Amino acid sequence: MAKSFDPPNIWSPFGAFSQSVISGGGKTIYLKGQVALDRDGEIVGDGNMSAQVTQVLHNVADILGAMGGQMSDIVSLQQFTTDIQAFMQCGEIRANFFEAPFPVTTTLEVSSLYDHRLLIEITGIAEIPQDRFIMPETTQEMHR
């Protein structure tokens, strides 16, 4: 089970993130960067940061859910946005998906994502406890 740790000798987190996460003992899941695509691969919320953040976090939750995971299993997030100011207004949306203790988080503003209509991409690492982990039937060996 992963545990968050905010050392008392550095600045306190001011949002939905932790300073560090200690993990081990579960199944580590590395998430591909998710963008605001629906099940059919169509962009959701063209020009709307709130709609795109919501779709991206639903995608992440769905991926983890397929393996018995939950959003609380995420230990680290990397967020790439084309508009940091608009993204910072989405804290309430993130609060609907995360609760303390929060994952460590890095957010960067980038000039563009792979499609100019996309405003946000989020990738991360999760650790699903062994007793909840469900191995998907359609996995493929990566190292042969």
Side-chain angles (χ1 to χ4, degrees):
M1 176 71 58
K3 297 180 181 202
S4 73
F5 175 60
D6 295 322
N9 58 335
I10 65 169
W11 55 276
S12 295
F14 53 83
F17 62 90
S18 294
Q19 292 289 7
S20 66
V21 170
I22 303 160
S23 69
K27 290 289 188 180
T28 303
I29 310 300
Y30 300 91
L31 299 166
K32 181 235 176 279
Q34 291 297 307
V35 294
L37 298 180
D38 65 15
R39 183 183 178 121
D40 298 322
E42 299 297 322
I43 292 177
V44 173
D46 186 359
N48 183 324
M49 182 67 77
S50 295
Q52 289 199 11
V53 168
T54 300
Q55 181 64 47
V56 168
L57 293 175
H58 276 295
N59 289 351
V60 170
D62 289 347
I63 291 166
L64 292 175
M67 293 177 273
Q70 305 167 358
M71 294 298 276
S72 60
D73 296 327
I74 295 175
V75 297
S76 177
L77 288 174
Q78 297 81 43
Q79 304 168 131
F80 304 92
T81 181
T82 60
D83 185 344
I84 195 79
Q85 295 305 318
F87 177 74
M88 295 304 288
Q89 301 303 312
C90 295
E92 189 172 308
I93 295 168
R94 282 179 39 101
N96 290 328
F97 287 87
F98 297 100
E99 55 188 42
F102 300 109
V104 297
T105 304
T106 299
T107 304
L108 298 170
E109 184 172 83
V110 296
S111 62
S112 178
L113 296 172
Y114 81 88
D115 185 300
H116 72 278
R117 298 172 294 168
L118 294 169
L119 306 174
I120 184 75
E121 182 168 344
I122 299 176
T123 184
I125 301 170
E127 182 185 348
I128 301 174
Q130 294 279 2
D131 63 343
R132 260 196 290 114
F133 180 74
I134 301 166
M135 179 64 77
E137 293 181 18
T138 57
T139 61
Q140 296 178 5
E141 288 292 326
M142 292 184 65
H143 305 288
R144 297 177 196 164

